[in-house]
């Protein structure tokens, strides 16, 4: 079966077409700047020898429907296409950001699933409407193919109530569903399963901490295969320090900013989400630049690294207590997979928890799933490349095949 995975944003459509027999990617790409006069489409296929063949075309003033139509034309192109026609696509899997309290698992899209995604718009006002647009457009272009919604929040729906409730008046939760939801669930679920496969133990018997460290960052505590805590909350702002987000702060800081600096809600939203984190501390949100600057002795960059890794260490300690026993610590995401210095600092002086890194293994120049702790260490420390698209494709296939 061939499965198309789609991630629709307000001005973009990212896609990957999988051949599920081999789990190979046949084509991948992105339509960007949808709706503007600087629109473009980048489409990549693999040559016989595996080398990527990239094609970039400008596509001005397209809407989502035109964008997906053009993607489909590239996929089915007579000379360079990877499928003959649209009916070769057996199913479409959609990344949907917020499934609220409704979805613990993916859903085959029908009217009730669409209604629920719509009902959750107040919880993800930027993302869910774009995801709905992607679903509607894909349904009209691939009317024969079942469509599946895979939710970023679903993996975290197993959190116990004491972990997801904020200590706010209970009526507020009843009225508005303000609670912790967590995000990056598809990635946490994927790397947890990959870690279990690597360790050759059933996930249902493992206690893991998974650290997704990308531009956004979150931690999850996974007990016997079920997520029992995660660092992001009602929104992705809570928890770890990120590229431009604060992570945890004293909730009274916005009152202070409003009273003393007269900041508006929108200004504070921008400050906390887009001007803070690594960028706020040292002017750089890209970890490579932060590491470069710190290596050259730049004090703000050094401070940013200190704050970033200290916060992660606190979560490792907290989640070890939550889990009562830790079998493996898993690093993933652009930073988790590629920045040995960060992994080293997150794990330093944690031998009291059985966490010890092997410096040579940590520095090894490879993209493969690997163990970076000594073989006899109490806690296996793993680097696991994430693959959210493949996870969505697998979930889609599972749903469609029953
Ligand atoms: P997103 O959350 O947008 O998917 P990624 O998971 O790709 O982002 O992570 C992006 C982050 O990974 C950036 O901060 C980038 O600097 C960092 N990163 C990527 N490669 C490296 C590397 N070799 N060393 C350090 N950081 C890296």
């Amino acid at each position: 079966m061939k499965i198309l995975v789609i991630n629709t944003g307000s001005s973009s459509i990212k896609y990957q077409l999988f051949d599920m027999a081999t789990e190979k990617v046949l084509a991948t790409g992105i339509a960007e700047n949808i709706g503007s006069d600087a629109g473009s489409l980048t489409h990549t296929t693999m040559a016989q020898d595996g080398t990527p063949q990239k094609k970039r075309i400008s596509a001005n003033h397209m809407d989502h429907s035109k964008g997906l139509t053009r993607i489909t034309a590239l996929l089915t192109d007579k000379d360079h296409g990877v499928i003959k026609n649209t009916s070769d696509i057996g199913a479409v899997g959609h990344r949907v950001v917020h499934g609220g309290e409704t979805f613990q698992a993916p859903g085959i899209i029908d009217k009730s699933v669409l209604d629920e995604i719509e009902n959750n718009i107040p919880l993800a006002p930027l993302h869910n409407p774009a995801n709905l647009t992607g679903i509607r457009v894909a349904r009209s272009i691939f009317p024969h193919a079942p469509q599946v919604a895979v939710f970023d929040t679903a993996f975290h729906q197993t959190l116990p109530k004491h972990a997801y409730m904020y200590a706010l008046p209970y009526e507020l939760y009843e009225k508005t569903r303000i609670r912790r939801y967590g995000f990056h669930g598809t990635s946490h679920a994927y790397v947890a399963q990959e870690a279990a496969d690597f360790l050759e133990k059933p996930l249902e018997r493992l206690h893991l901490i998974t650290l997704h460290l990308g531009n956004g960052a979150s931690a999850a505590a996974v007990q016997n295969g079920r997520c029992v805590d995660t660092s992001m909350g009602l929104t992705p702002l809570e928890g770890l320090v990120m590229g431009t987000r604060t992570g945890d702060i004293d909730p009274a800081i916005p009152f202070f900013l409003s009273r003393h600096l007269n900041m508006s809600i929108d200004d504070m939203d921008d400050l906390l989400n887009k001007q803070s984190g690594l960028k706020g501390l040292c002017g750089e949100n890209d970890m490579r630049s932060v590491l470069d600057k710190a290596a050259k002795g730049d004090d703000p960059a050094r401070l940013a690294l200190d704050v970033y890794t200290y916060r992660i260490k606190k979560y490792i300690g907290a989640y070890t207590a939550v889990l009562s026993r830790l079998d493996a610590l898993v690093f993933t995401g652009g930073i988790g997979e590629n920045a040995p210095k960060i992994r080293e600092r997150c794990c330093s002086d944690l031998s009291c928890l059985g966490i010890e890194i092997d410096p040579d293994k940590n520095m090894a120049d490879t993209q493969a799933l690997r163990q970076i702790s000594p073989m006899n260490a109490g806690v296996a420390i793993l680097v696991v490349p994430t693959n959210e698209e493949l996870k969505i494709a697998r979930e889609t296939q599972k749903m469609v095949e029953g």
Side-chain angles (χ1 to χ4, degrees):
M1 182 194 293
K2 305 220 171 38
I3 291 183
L4 183 64
V5 172
I6 297 181
N7 180 357
T8 311
S10 56
S11 63
S12 67
I13 304 171
K14 289 190 200 145
Y15 60 95
Q16 283 196 15
L17 179 65
F18 287 88
D19 182 345
M20 295 312 288
T22 54
E23 294 195 334
K24 278 228 164 75
V25 176
L26 301 175
T28 177
I30 180 167
E32 286 174 283
N33 296 319
I34 288 175
S36 89
D37 57 6
S40 69
L41 214 163
T42 309
H43 179 75
T44 305
T45 51
M46 305 301 155
Q48 288 287 346
D49 64 359
T51 44
Q53 314 270 297
K54 195 181 254 190
K55 188 179 205 174
R56 189 168 189 277
I57 47 181
S58 63
N60 298 340
H61 303 297
M62 59 182 163
D63 55 16
H64 285 86
S65 174
K66 282 193 188 126
L68 193 56
T69 304
R70 293 196 73 163
I71 292 166
T72 309
L74 286 166
L75 293 172
T76 56
D77 182 86
K78 205 155 50 49
D79 301 318
H80 305 290
V82 289
I83 50 173
K84 284 214 181 68
N85 50 53
T86 51
S87 58
D88 288 349
I89 291 176
V92 182
H94 294 268
R95 176 188 181 216
V96 180
V97 167
H98 221 305
E101 295 190 311
T102 324
F103 295 102
Q104 282 206 17
I108 295 200
I109 293 169
D110 57 13
K111 169 134 183 15
S112 72
V113 170
L114 284 173
D115 287 348
E116 279 306 315
I117 298 173
E118 187 133 13
N119 288 340
N120 285 315
I121 286 178
L123 295 169
L126 298 178
H127 292 101
N128 273 25
N131 300 154
L132 277 171
T133 303
I135 292 169
R136 291 199 177 108
V137 167
R139 282 182 117 188
S140 72
I141 295 178
F142 310 106
H144 63 280
Q147 316 256 331
V148 174
V150 180
F151 299 93
D152 251 24
T153 48
F155 184 57
H156 306 305
Q157 276 299 302
T158 48
L159 258 63
K161 199 159 186 176
H162 58 256
Y164 73 67
M165 285 300 293
Y166 292 113
L168 287 163
Y170 195 81
E171 312 83 75
L172 210 53
Y173 164 66
E174 291 180 311
K175 205 156 109 194
T176 65
R177 298 286 132 186
I178 288 183
R179 50 159 281 180
R180 317 186 59 254
Y181 290 94
F183 299 88
H184 291 145
T186 307
S187 177
H188 287 290
Y190 176 80
V191 298
Q193 185 59 59
E194 289 283 295
D197 294 347
F198 178 82
L199 296 169
E200 297 182 353
K201 297 204 173 116
L203 182 57
E204 294 68 33
R205 282 209 230 124
L206 285 173
H207 290 200
L208 312 172
I209 297 174
T210 51
L211 296 168
H212 178 106
L213 310 177
N215 283 314
S218 63
V222 183
Q223 189 168 46
N224 300 326
R226 291 163 69 83
C227 186
V228 292
D229 207 348
T230 191
S231 59
M232 285 177 166
L234 173 73
T235 77
L237 186 55
E238 194 179 342
L240 304 181
V241 175
M242 310 182 210
T244 62
R245 295 188 194 124
T246 55
D248 296 333
I249 57 169
D250 183 333
I253 288 175
F255 315 146
F256 186 95
L257 293 171
S258 167
R259 289 187 186 122
H260 294 277
L261 300 179
N262 217 9
M263 283 183 86
S264 67
I265 303 254
D266 286 345
D267 288 345
M268 289 189 277
D269 192 332
D270 185 67
L271 181 80
L272 269 47
N273 274 297
K274 301 206 176 123
Q275 312 299 335
S276 297
L278 296 172
K279 183 181 177 189
L281 286 166
C282 74
E284 302 283 352
N285 64 289
D286 190 295
M287 185 53 91
R288 282 165 290 206
S289 312
V290 183
L291 286 164
D292 280 350
K293 277 187 154 181
K296 291 183 185 130
D298 182 85
D299 281 333
R302 286 181 165 182
L303 174 66
L305 290 182
D306 288 344
V307 177
Y308 184 87
T309 50
Y310 177 70
R311 182 78 51 85
I312 293 171
K313 263 175 111 160
K314 280 213 289 194
Y315 270 89
I316 292 173
Y319 285 178
T320 305
V322 164
L323 293 168
S324 73
R325 179 192 89 229
L326 183 61
D327 298 314
L329 176 65
V330 179
F331 285 92
T332 194
I335 298 170
E337 292 168 35
N338 299 302
K341 262 253 145 344
I342 300 295
R343 295 193 297 259
E344 179 195 310
R345 292 178 64 139
C346 294
C347 296
S348 68
D349 301 321
L350 288 183
S351 50
C352 56
L353 301 179
I355 293 173
E356 222 170 302
I357 228 164
D358 178 322
D360 293 336
K361 288 183 181 165
N362 186 36
M363 291 306 294
D365 188 15
T366 166
Q367 298 294 311
L369 194 170
R370 59 207 180 269
Q371 178 160 350
I372 58 168
S373 51
M375 279 313 177
N376 59 354
V379 175
I381 308 175
L382 306 179
V383 178
V384 180
T386 194
N387 193 338
E388 290 164 88
E389 292 78 13
L390 177 58
K391 176 77 177 159
I392 293 172
R394 284 179 181 166
E395 296 284 347
T396 300
Q397 183 177 31
K398 214 161 42 173
M399 293 299 291
V400 170
E401 292 181 346

